[in-house]
Amino acid sequence: MNEPTFWRTEIWHPLSVHFPIAILLLATIAISIAGVTRGDQKFFWQKAGSYLLYLGALSAWVAIYTGDMADATVSRKICDPTVLKDHEIAAFNVAYLFSAAAMLNILINVNILKLWPKLLRLLVVVLMVIGAGYLTYAGHLGAQVVYNQAGGVNMPASDCAGF
């Protein structure tokens, strides 16, 4: 049996993409909760959400990088490459939206942007909610690539020879 190696580049993307999915969705929830709480609770949720946002935005770009590496292998194997292209576009929208939210959040937290802080914090939440929508859509398209078109997975022989 010819066992597929773990170190195939198309395997690195699923290993790296689930971390930003969880972190960015949690960041969106935490910062949204901070918007409706007061006092110490607001401070806690804002701080936790900010750290999750920074980590998630950075890891989203790692997922983009590994996705680009996997694209070269997977796009040759799947039946409908337009789904893969739509997945890539949605993923870039996720990375841009959450990166913009992270940069805006940093500028607010270090007091560089002092005008309309409530409005700017609301803009951060709006960017993150739109980003979460794109994140869900990108995940749906990624699942279509993997489960509907068998992108990046090893297909056994029809008689299951080798198992």
Side-chain angles (χ1 to χ4, degrees):
M1 179 176 148
N2 190 8
E3 182 93 11
T5 177
F6 175 78
W7 296 108
R8 297 178 298 160
T9 54
E10 69 268 22
I11 299 295
W12 297 354
H13 183 60
L15 288 174
S16 65
V17 76
H18 294 100
F19 186 70
I21 290 172
I23 296 297
L24 290 172
L25 291 176
L26 285 174
T28 303
I29 292 168
I31 288 186
S32 296
I33 290 172
V36 295
T37 54
R38 296 181 190 273
D40 288 342
Q41 287 185 345
K42 181 181 184 81
F43 178 77
F44 169 79
W45 288 110
Q46 184 65 45
K47 197 98 166 164
S50 294
Y51 288 133
L52 289 170
L53 175 60
Y54 307 147
L55 188 61
L58 184 64
S59 61
W61 288 106
V62 172
I64 293 281
Y65 177 75
T66 59
D68 192 43
M69 292 169 56
D71 182 272
T73 303
V74 173
S75 64
R76 285 183 261 141
K77 293 170 52 176
I78 61 175
C79 298
D80 183 10
T82 60
V83 175
L84 189 61
K85 190 64 180 172
D86 291 343
H87 173 66
E88 181 182 9
I89 291 168
F92 268 106
N93 287 338
V94 168
Y96 286 130
L97 285 165
F98 279 104
S99 295
M103 293 305 297
L104 189 57
N105 198 45
I106 289 170
L107 294 175
I108 294 167
N109 287 340
V110 297
N111 290 326
I112 291 177
L113 294 176
K114 295 178 182 177
L115 293 175
W116 309 303
K118 288 184 179 181
L119 186 64
L120 291 174
R121 290 208 183 274
L122 180 63
L123 180 60
V124 169
V125 172
V126 168
L127 287 171
M128 293 176 73
V129 168
I130 294 170
Y134 271 108
L135 184 62
T136 304
Y137 181 61
H140 168 71
L141 294 175
Q144 280 188 343
V145 169
V146 172
Y147 298 113
N148 288 351
Q149 299 191 48
V153 296
N154 184 37
M155 296 294 293
S158 60
D159 63 351
C160 293
F163 288 96

